[in-house]
């Protein structure tokens, strides 16, 4: 159908050059994303989900930078793009929503002012036109009486409302890709459900592709089309959501699922993954999951696993059997 | 500690500043042994040597590298001894102010209620009043002398420590580990001493370095206004003030060299303080 | 033409009777005349009074100048003088001018230009007091309450004098402006306008002269005299003043600030021992003080009054230092290792006081006395002295009346409030012989005899070493050569517009 | 909000009360003003009369109560030295100081904030390090010292600017201001510069610290993600976010500038209240000292109030209900 | 039954502390906001020995506040708390050691400047539960028990990961030999894999020590997993309480129903419908709780009665307590 995917990431490596050493936060991540597709990115804290997201939009904090790899957006290489051109893409073609709406919105500017600035960041627009666009977009994300609320300040909104404002800001220019970095983690379940419902329908309506970052397998499973599981900066398993979660082939994915209390009988011991996530500063040469892996053997400790491609990607020497 | 030093080392300016501070402190400590003259021993001074330019060979037979002041004191010796006194005053004032301020601040943060209200109102009241005026009035009241000056400086500065300690302690007080201590339960004094106090120290140390520098500068200003130390035992500020009257007549060395010494000292302390502050600031860590 | 002068301090009101401060009367002499004037060397000269003579032991006759006009055009008469004396007797401020008329018990108007002034006792120095008897207009000040008088004068309403300049404006601690009064009896003043700008900071005063913001400045700091003299665009005038730095001892039985070297108390106040006082005297090198500590802006002195003062004793020598003898005297007095003392001095009152104080500390250290120099602002040290907290003080004393009895009676007579003598004797010196001589001189109307008495007092004062006169303070004026010139400076440092003339080029 | 203002006014009253008491006791402890003021040869009765006329014969607490009583009717008493109402004396000189303080604070703000933001934006750049070095210097060098150097260099040596005093003034709102005349402005430059040095350093440091922290927040990241240019982010987001601490310090500094004006005014013979207070201290003119300190305390409290109220303008979170709620 | 932890009509209101100025302004007639935060209102509950009671609810509903009052860290405004039959607080200070707490944030709940061994030993030594000499052994014991190397006692908290710290925090609480343990969201900030470890540890310890426990969490599945009984809180009140199995299987209160529906389910096949059924609206402000049933503005079943009258928490036939007119 389409010649090239919307987004094509090849062997992305993003490293932080810190005092203590080089933190390889993202190490050889590859994936692609079609128009209108929702991609879930799951993994535990520190696995490199956010850094992957920021790499896509060109906002890796110093001392980090993209060490190598390629990010092609509609066939155009983003790695090494001049800052001005990257800026022109941000917000217009690629937008991002963050985890904590309380921290992302500027508390001292009204919603209208902030959104107007975002509108005017891409081409001239009169204040009135910008406000009008802002109000319409707010209405779309389910904020009633949007025009009047433009003059309100973030603190006058609840957490859920603030996240809607952030989403509306991302939607202003009708981007082709939205990167959502745990946008519901800070919210209550009842509000989270509202936002999830809205995001799903918005994505469907506008055909915007979505990278949905989350540590919650359940959320991703009910929203995304495809899922990438990250561990220690690497993608360890990727595939269609239902298939992958029903029959995970990487021991880590299996372990994650087994850790969920919902998967066990109440009061019974959970099938836990032993140990803790490794420090990204000094990863073992082989499979980073090997020290915690019940199936690991000597090979795992020394050789990085190859990618086993069947219907999906699994980075493991000893993948679990397909169901 | 080692990590701290490793990080510190990255800023060479701060390293130089630290070296300067160390050298100055050493020079101040060793002043009686390294200076050619004891400027406080009046009998060793000769009025005939007064106001001689740098390089002059005085009646004692050695070279006055930085010249002499109006009393025939060798300026180099006077500056080193002046540094000693200025540092003494600054550190003494800083330490006392820190002890008093930290005690008050942490106490009021812990006690809460009217104790907190009373102490912090007084502190606020004092903070809302210029330190220099307070010191001015106090020095005028207490009279001349090192201890009086230290009292005035402490009175002018403790409030900053109290505020900082209070701020830090109220922030700490809300943290879970303090609540955990209360929940154990541990006695109040133990919570204050073992839990809150150690965690309030970093900001206090930062304020401390800056306040030491401030105390030195404040003392210099008071000296300039005629309310400083006795002229025969001059601090740097006093040396500057004494030489001030010769600025117009071109005998600038009398005031300029002590001035440079003072500036170098204060700048160095401030840079060190800045660096420590930056390093203590977790948000700027990487 | 305007004469802008940078001065150290200005008036404190426009009411000349408000306070007896020197800078106050200095400024207001431009607006108001006094009955007698004091000349450049402080000799008494006719002012509004043309002549005066004692009629009997307690009566002085003053003849007033005729044809003197107030700034409002009215004539000055004996009425105005009487009104002025009455004001001075009733006004009570922080530093009341009543001291100048305190001896007057009655004033009689003989005719509009003749006055008889009755005093409580023989008052030979009355005409000296009258250099501060400012004559204000009786009409303009009629009905002024003490509260309202400052406002009335400051607004200019009551500021009607007979002086060579008329009042224009005054801002406290800032500047004082007067304009030429064409009808002055002595002729037309040279300057159309005279501005006295207060610049207390020495360095700033010099800076403003150099930038040309002022035409001339008074009290050039000693440190800058040589530099300014070298400047071809400026000229510097120097003069000796009547201020004499002297070192006063505490004569009380116990004195607070002297201890043994180890800090323990001494059995007696060592200053009471004449040998100790002599030792200290011999330790001091007055030439070094004048030449080095004061940078040449001082003259060594051996007595409390300067040579131009009535009562100066030319026979008294200036002591020369003798360290060996001084140490020997200390040993004889029982202090072979010296003792420890605080040396107090003011550090902001007179030029050079700080330098002289610290230099003295050095000199005393050389004979084995451990000295702790304590220079403090006058505001701190004078009240402390008044409370009796000091064991000594090095400060300046100015015989501003031009006459030595003022100095000796204040300093050396036993403190006696009823006789109004010894007002300045905080240190407890008391000597019947001294008291007798001073009282005799106080009431002696015959000038020659009085001079004789005063010289005797001076000799006794020095023999007793009541205090040690060190050096007189020199004063310097600096001015822009292209604008003004001043032939000489006054011994009391006062600077008037009429002593300054526009530069002739 | 009203409650907040009332609270502040109560505090203000307290501050001023404490201040006046402190000064009363302080001056009393220094010594009897009469010893400084009166000529030493005044007789006992003249002395006694003078003491009485200034009310110094009463016990201290009575003097203080009498003072408070008069204060309630707005009367600060009369200066011992000038014999005129103190309040006139102080008010007449206040504009000069206000003008000086304001000028220096403005210099500090308009130069310091942009420099500080730059230094915080690019903390590692050599220019930023240079700015910080200069700021540490400005922070450390004693005011009086710089003042004299300024005079020596700009007035005496280069002869560009006057060395001291206040120049010609023009009237505005019934008060004389020197910044309104061109020549008057030249008189203002050096002292204002001298006084502003400290504020300048302060502003730089604060702006830098604020910017550094703000730049790391998600707010800035989010703005960047929306495609805003760095300039817009700095001008619209960062400046607003760091403005609150800046305004606090701006206000407080304005107050302490009034106090530090003591030194600058002394050096530059600037006829403001600072010079007045130093002169009053040396002559123990207690009414002036009390009035000045009470006035400074009052100004401080007012400024703090204004600062707190302006928070509400800058920080919408505080707008409703003020602090208490 | 042995009711070890009892709350009777416990209420907590946080009144704004009005300044003198505010009060004067109030007297002068200005509008002064005197509304109190109704954090917990009239809560009664009891926990039997050996039982775990789960407390669930959304953020701000008063879980922690209730937990604090039960743990004796915060005095209730009204009502009474009994721990092992005695009030846990004397005046404003905690008196009992019979109840201990584990806090949410393992990074904040340990003193960063104290070695963890000292942190654990401090309480028991202060209260004489262990002698000073015995302390190291006791510490080593507990460290081993929570699955840590006893040699770690000399380390500082920053040398540990979040999960390890939470183990230390648990050890610290248990070292006081409490009758009751209050766990305030002990796993909320942990990753799933670590969360599973801690939950397993908790289950083990509970079994071995026969712990009585109040387990607070906003995560419904966690509470389900560890609790014998659960209580659902909404806006400071308990709206439903009962055996965990029953409440989860057949929630009675519309809020409980909505909450359970809101939780995303793990969708294991493409055929699973992933429909979200969120509760409409948002949590009202605890400053001015709605009249009647606090849930009525969001409740699909609300009637005029719900707006007017607050439903009491009443026991239903199966023993579940529900506060709803229509359940
Ligand atoms: N500014 C930075 N400097 C140094 N290291 C960083 C920085 N930002 C991220 N990292 C490191 O990169 C790694 C990946 O971080 P990232 O934020 O992508 O994790 P995440 O998967 O988003 O985790 P979370 O669920 O906690 O958000 C972490 O080990 C982190 O320590
Ligand atoms: N010390 C306090 N002062 C004032 N209000 C408080 C205080 N502590 C809590 N509150 C308020 O009481 C209410 C209940 O707070 P609580 O912390 O008990 O909620 P929670 O259920 O534990 O929420 P979370 O899940 O976010 O921890 C909240 O509205 C909160 O703002
Ligand atoms: Mg993340
Ligand atoms: Mg909570
Ligand atoms: Ni969660």
């Amino acid at each position: 159908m389409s010649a090239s995917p919307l987004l094509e990431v090849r062997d992305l490596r993003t490293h932080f050059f810190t005092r203590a050493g080089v933190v390889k936060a993202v190490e050889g991540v590859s994936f692609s994303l079609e128009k209108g597709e929702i991609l879930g990115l799951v993994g535990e804290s520190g696995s490199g989900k956010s850094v992957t997201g920021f790499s896509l939009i060109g906002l890796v904090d110093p001392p980090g930078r993209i060490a190598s790899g390629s990010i092609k957006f509609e066939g155009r290489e983003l790695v090494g793009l001049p800052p001005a051109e990257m800026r022109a893409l941000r917000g217009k073609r690629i937008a991002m929503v963050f985890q904590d709406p309380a921290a992302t919105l500027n508390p001292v500017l009204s919603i209208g002012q902030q959104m107007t600035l975002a509108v005017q960041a891409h081409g001239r627009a009169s204040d009135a036109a910008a406000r009008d666009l802002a109000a319409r977009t707010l209405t779309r994300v389910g904020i009633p009486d949007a025009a009047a609320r433009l003059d309100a300040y973030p603190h006058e909104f609840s957490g859920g409302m603030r996240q809607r404002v952030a989403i509306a800001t991302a939607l202003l220019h009708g981007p082709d890709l939205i990167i959502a970095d745990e946008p519901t983690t800070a919210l209550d379940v009842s509000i989270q459900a509202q936002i999830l419902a809205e995001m799903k329908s918005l994505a469907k309506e506008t055909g915007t592709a979505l990278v949905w970052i989350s540590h919650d397998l359940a959320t991703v499973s009910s929203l995304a089309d495809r899922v990438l599981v990250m561990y220690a900066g690497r993608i360890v398993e990727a595939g269609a959501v239902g298939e992958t979660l029903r029959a995970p082939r990487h021991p880590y994915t299996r372990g994650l699922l087994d850790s969920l209390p919902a998967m066990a009988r109440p009061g019974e011991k959970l099938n836990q993954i032993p140990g803790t996530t490794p420090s990204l500063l000094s990863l073992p040469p082989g499979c980073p999951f090997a020290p915690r892996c019940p199936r690991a053997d000597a090979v795992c400790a020394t050789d990085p696993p190859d990618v086993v491609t069947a219907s999906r990607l699994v980075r493991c020497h000893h993948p679990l059997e397909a169901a | 500690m080692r990590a701290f030093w490793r990080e510190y080392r990255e800023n060479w300016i701060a390293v130089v500043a630290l070296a300067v501070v160390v050298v100055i402190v050493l020079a101040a400590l060793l002043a009686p042994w390294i200076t050619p003259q004891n400027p406080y021993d009046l009998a060793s001074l000769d009025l005939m040597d007064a106001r001689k330019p740098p390089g002059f060979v005085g009646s004692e037979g050695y070279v006055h590298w930085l010249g002499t002041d109006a009393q025939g004191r060798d300026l180099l010796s006077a500056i080193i001894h002046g540094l000693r006194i200025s540092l003494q005053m600054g550190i003494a004032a800083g330490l006392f102010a820190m002890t008093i301020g930290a005690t008050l601040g942490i106490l009021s943060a812990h006690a809460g209620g009217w104790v907190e209200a009373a102490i912090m109102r007084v502190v606020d009241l004092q903070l809302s009043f210029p330190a220099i005026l307070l010191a001015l009035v106090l020095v005028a009241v207490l009279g001349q002398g090192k201890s009086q000056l230290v009292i005035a400086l402490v009175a002018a500065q403790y409030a900053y420590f109290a505020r900082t300690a209070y701020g830090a302690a109220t922030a700490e007080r809300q943290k879970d580990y303090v609540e955990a201590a209360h929940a154990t339960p541990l006695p109040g004094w133990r919570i204050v001493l073992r839990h809150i106090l150690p965690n309030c120290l970093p900001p206090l140390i930062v304020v401390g370095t800056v306040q030491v520098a401030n105390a030195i500068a404040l003392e210099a200003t008071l000296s300039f206004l005629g309310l400083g130390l006795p002229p025969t035992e001059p601090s740097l500020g006093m040396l500057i003030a004494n030489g001030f009257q010769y600025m117009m007549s071109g005998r600038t060395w009398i005031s300029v060299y002590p001035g440079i010494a003072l500036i170098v000292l204060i700048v160095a302390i401030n840079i060190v303080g800045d660096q420590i502050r930056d390093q203590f600031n977790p948000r700027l860590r990487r | 033409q305007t004469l802008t002068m940078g001065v150290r301090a200005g008036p404190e009101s426009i009411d000349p009777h408000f306070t007896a401060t020197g800078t106050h009367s200095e400024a207001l002499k431009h607006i108001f005349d006094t009955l007698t004037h004091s000349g450049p060397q402080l000799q008494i000269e006719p002012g509004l009074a043309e002549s005066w003579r004692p009629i009997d032991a307690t009566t002085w006759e003053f003849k007033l100048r005729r044809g003197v006009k107030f700034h409002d055009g009215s004539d000055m008469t004996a009425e105005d003088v009487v009104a002025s004396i009455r004001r001075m007797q009733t006004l009570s401020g922080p530093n009341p001018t009543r001291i100048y008329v305190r001896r007057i018990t009655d004033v009689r108007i003989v005719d509009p230009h003749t006055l008889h002034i009755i005093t409580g006792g023989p008052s030979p120095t009355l005409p000296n007091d009258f250099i501060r008897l400012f004559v204000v207009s009786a009409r303009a000040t009629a009905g002024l309450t003490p509260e309202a008088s400052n406002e009335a004068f400051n607004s200019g309403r009551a500021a009607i004098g007979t002086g060579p300049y008329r009042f224009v404006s005054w801002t406290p601690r800032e500047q004082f402006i007067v304009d030429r009064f064409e009808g002055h009896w002595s002729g037309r003043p040279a300057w159309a306008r005279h501005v006295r700008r207060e610049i207390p900071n020495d360095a700033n005063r010099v800076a403003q002269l150099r930038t040309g913001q002022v035409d001339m400045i008074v009290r050039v700091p000693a440190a800058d005299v040589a530099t300014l003299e070298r400047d071809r665009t400026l000229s510097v005038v120097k003069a000796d003043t009547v201020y004499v730095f002297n070192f006063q001892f505490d004569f009380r039985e116990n004195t607070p600030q002297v201890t043994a070297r180890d800090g323990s108390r001494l059995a007696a106040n060592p200053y009471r021992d004449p040998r100790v006082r002599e030792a200290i005297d011999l330790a001091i090198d007055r030439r070094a003080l004048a030449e080095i500590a004061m940078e040449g802006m001082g003259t060594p002195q051996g007595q409390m009054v300067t040579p131009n003062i009535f009562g100066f004793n030319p026979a008294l020598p200036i002591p020369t230092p003798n360290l060996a003898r001084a140490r020997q005297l200390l040993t004889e007095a029982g202090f072979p290792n010296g003792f420890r003392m605080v040396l107090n001095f003011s550090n902001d009152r007179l030029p050079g006081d700080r330098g002289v104080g610290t230099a003295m500390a050095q000199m005393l250290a050389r004979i084995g006395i451990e000295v702790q120099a304590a220079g403090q602002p006058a505001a701190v040290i004078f009240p402390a002295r008044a409370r009796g907290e000091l064991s000594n003080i090095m400060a300046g004393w100015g015989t501003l009346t031009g006459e030595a009895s003022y100095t000796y009676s204040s300093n050396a007579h036993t403190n006696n409030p009823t006789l109004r003598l010894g007002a300045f004797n905080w240190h407890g010196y008391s000597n019947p012989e001294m008291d007798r001589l001073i009282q005799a001189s106080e009431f002696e109307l015959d000038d020659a005899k009085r001079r004789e008495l005063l010289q005797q007092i001076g000799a006794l004062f020095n023999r007793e070493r009541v205090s040690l006169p060190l050096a007189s303070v020199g004063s310097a004026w600096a001015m822009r050569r292209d604008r003004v010139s001043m032939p000489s400076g006054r011994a009391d440092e006062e600077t008037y517009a009429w002593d300054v003339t526009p530069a002739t080029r | 909000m009203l409650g907040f203002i009332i609270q502040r006014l109560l505090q203000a009253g307290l501050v001023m009360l404490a201040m006046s008491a402190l000064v009363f006791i302080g001056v009393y402890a220094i010594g009897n003003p009469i010893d400084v003021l009166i000529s030493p040869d005044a007789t006992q009765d003249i002395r006694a009369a003078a003491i009485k006329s200034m009310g110094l014969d009463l016990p201290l607490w009575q003097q203080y109560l009498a003072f408070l009583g008069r204060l309630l009717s707005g009367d600060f008493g009369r200066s011992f030295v000038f014999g005129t109402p103190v309040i006139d004396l102080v008010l007449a000189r206040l504009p000069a100081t206000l003008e000086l303080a304001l000028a220096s604070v403005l210099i500090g703000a308009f130069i310091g904030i942009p420099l500080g933001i730059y230094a915080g934006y690019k903390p590692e750049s050599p220019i930023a390090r240079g700015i910080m070095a200069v700021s540490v210097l400005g922070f450390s060098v004693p005011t009086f010292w710089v003042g004299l150097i300024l005079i020596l260099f700009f007035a005496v040596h280069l002869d560009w600017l006057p060395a001291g005093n206040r120049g010609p003034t023009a009237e505005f709102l019934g008060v004389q201001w020197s910044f309104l005349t061109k020549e008057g402005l030249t008189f203002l430059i050096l002292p204002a510069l001298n006084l502003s040095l400290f504020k300048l350093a302060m502003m730089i440091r604060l702006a830098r610290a604020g910017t550094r922290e703000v730049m790391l927040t998600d707010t800035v990241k989010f703005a960047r993600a929306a495609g805003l240019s760095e300039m817009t982010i700095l001008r619209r987001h960062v400046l607003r976010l760091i403005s609150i601490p800046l305004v606090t310090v701006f206000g407080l500094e304005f107050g302490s500038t009034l106090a530090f004006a003591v030194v600058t005014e002394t050096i530059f013979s600037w006829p403001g209240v600072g010079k007045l207070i130093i002169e009053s201290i040396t002559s123990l003119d207690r009414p002036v000292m009390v009035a000045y300190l009470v006035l400074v305390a009052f100004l401080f409290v007012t400024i703090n109030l204004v600062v707190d109220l302006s928070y509400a303008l800058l920080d919408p979170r505080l707008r409703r209900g003020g602090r208490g709620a | 039954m042995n009711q070890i932890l009892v709350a009777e009509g416990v209420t907590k209101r946080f009144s704004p502390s009005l300044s003198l100025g505010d009060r004067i302004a109030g007297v002068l007639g200005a509008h002064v906001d005197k509304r109190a935060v109704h954090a917990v209102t009239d809560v009664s509950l009891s926990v039997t020995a050996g039982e775990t009671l789960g407390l669930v609810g959304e953020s701000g509903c008063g879980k922690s506040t209730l937990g604090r009052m039960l743990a004796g860290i915060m005095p209730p405004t009204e009502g009474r708390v009994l721990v092992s039959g005695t009030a846990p607080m004397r005046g404003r200070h905690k008196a009992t050691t019979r109840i201990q707490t584990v806090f949410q944030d393992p990074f904040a709940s340990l003193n960063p400047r104290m070695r963890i061994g000292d942190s654990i030993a401090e309480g028991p030594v202060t209260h004489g539960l262990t002698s000073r000499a015995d302390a190291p052994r006791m510490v080593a014991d507990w460290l081993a028990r929570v699955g840590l190397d006893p040699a770690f006692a000399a380390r500082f908290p920053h040398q540990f990961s979040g999960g390890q710290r939470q183990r230390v925090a648990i050890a610290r609480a248990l070292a006081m030999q409490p009758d009751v343990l209050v766990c305030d969201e002990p796993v909320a900030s942990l990753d799933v894999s670590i969360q599973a470890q801690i939950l397993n540890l908790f289950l083990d310890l509970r079994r071995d020590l026969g712990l009585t426990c109040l387990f607070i969490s906003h995560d419904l599945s966690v509470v389900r997993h560890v609790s014998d009984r659960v209580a659902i809180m909404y806006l400071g009140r308990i709206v439903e309480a009962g055996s965990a199995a029953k409440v989860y299987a057949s929630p009675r209160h519309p809020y409980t129903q909505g909450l359970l529906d809101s939780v995303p389910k793990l969708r294991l096949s493409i055929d699973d419908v992933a429909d979200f059924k969120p509760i409409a609206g948002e949590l009202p402000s605890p400053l001015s709780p709605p009249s009647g049933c606090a849930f009525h503005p969001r409740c699909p079943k609300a009637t005029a009665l719900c707006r007017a009258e607050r439903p009491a928490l009443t026991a239903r036939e199966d023993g579940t307590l529900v506060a709803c007119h229509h359940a």
Side-chain angles (χ1 to χ4, degrees), chain B residues 220-241:
Chain B
T221 304
L222 287 176
S223 290
F224 168 74
L225 293 174
L227 294 162
L229 290 170
T232 44
E233 244 181 82
S235 66
L236 277 185
M238 198 70 197
L239 282 175
I240 299 173

Side-chain angles (χ1 to χ4, degrees), chain B residues 45 51 71 144 242 251, chain C residues 223 292 295 354 362 366 375:
Chain B
L45 306 182
R51 293 179 287 265
Q71 293 176 48
Q144 210 171 37
N242 283 344
R251 286 170 287 186
Chain C
I292 300 173
E295 294 208 65
R354 186 204 307 241
Q362 268 181 37
R366 302 211 151 192

Side-chain angles (χ1 to χ4, degrees), chain B:
Chain B
M1 193 62 214
R2 179 167 299 163
F4 190 89
W5 171 238
R6 193 170 335 115
E7 188 176 344
Y8 190 99
R9 226 167 35 190
E10 281 179 18
N11 184 352
W12 66 268
I13 299 179
V15 174
V16 171
L18 186 66
V20 168
V21 172
V22 169
V23 166
I24 290 181
V25 169
L26 277 182
L29 283 177
L30 301 175
W33 294 279
I34 58 170
T35 55
Q37 185 192 58
N38 177 1
Y40 302 156
D41 178 10
L42 293 175
S44 77
L45 306 182
D46 191 340
L47 207 52
M48 292 302 159
D49 291 341
R51 293 179 287 265
K52 293 294 192 275
F56 169 82
V57 180
S59 52
E60 309 278 316
Y62 52 82
V63 182
H64 297 289
W65 289 112
L66 300 182
T68 62
D69 75 354
Q71 293 176 48
R73 267 193 296 245
D74 174 46
L75 259 179
L76 183 62
S77 312
I79 286 174
I80 294 174
H81 278 81
L83 278 170
R84 181 188 169 93
I85 295 207
S86 287
L87 271 175
Q88 266 174 19
M89 310 279 303
I91 291 174
L95 282 183
F96 279 123
M98 177 144 141
T99 313
I100 297 173
T103 309
L104 285 178
I106 293 177
L107 199 76
S108 63
H110 181 72
W114 66 267
V115 177
E116 173 181 10
I119 295 180
M120 289 328 285
R121 281 299 82 73
V122 172
V123 166
D124 280 351
L125 199 143
Q126 231 198 293
L127 278 180
S128 76
F129 199 76
I132 187 167
L133 286 186
L134 196 77
L136 213 71
V137 173
L138 272 174
V139 171
V141 172
L142 298 173
Q144 210 171 37
K146 278 193 206 168
S147 44
Q148 285 93 326
L149 208 52
V150 169
I151 292 175
L153 294 177
V154 168
Q157 295 193 314
Y158 85 93
Y160 292 97
F161 289 99
R163 253 272 149 236
T164 311
Y166 175 77
T170 25
E172 294 301 322
R173 166 174 87 167
Q174 324 232 316
K175 292 206 178 142
D176 282 354
Y177 74 87
V178 175
E179 187 162 5
H182 277 290
T184 300
L186 296 175
W189 60 266
R190 200 183 173 93
I191 296 177
V192 170
L193 286 184
R194 294 274 317 218
H195 294 264
I196 298 183
L197 179 66
N199 285 292
C200 292
L201 281 180
L204 281 174
I205 290 170
V206 171
V207 173
T209 47
V210 174
Q211 287 300 325
V212 165
N214 271 358
I216 294 172
L218 194 59
E219 189 270 331
T221 304
L222 287 176
S223 290
F224 168 74
L225 293 174
L227 294 162
L229 290 170
T232 44
E233 244 181 82
S235 66
L236 277 185
M238 198 70 197
L239 282 175
I240 299 173
N242 283 344
F244 208 63
Q245 48 183 318
Y246 301 105
M247 290 293 279
M248 286 278 169
S249 64
R251 286 170 287 186
T252 45
W253 68 88
I254 307 179
S255 190
V256 164
Y257 291 136
I260 291 173
L262 180 73
I263 291 170
V264 167
L265 173 62
I266 300 182
V267 167
I269 296 180
N270 271 323
I271 291 178
V272 172
D274 268 5
Q275 179 67 23
I276 298 177
R277 183 207 316 264
D278 281 359
Q279 280 186 234
F280 274 145
N281 188 341
R283 292 222 246 164
L284 303 178
R285 298 301 297 258
R286 61 172 216 220

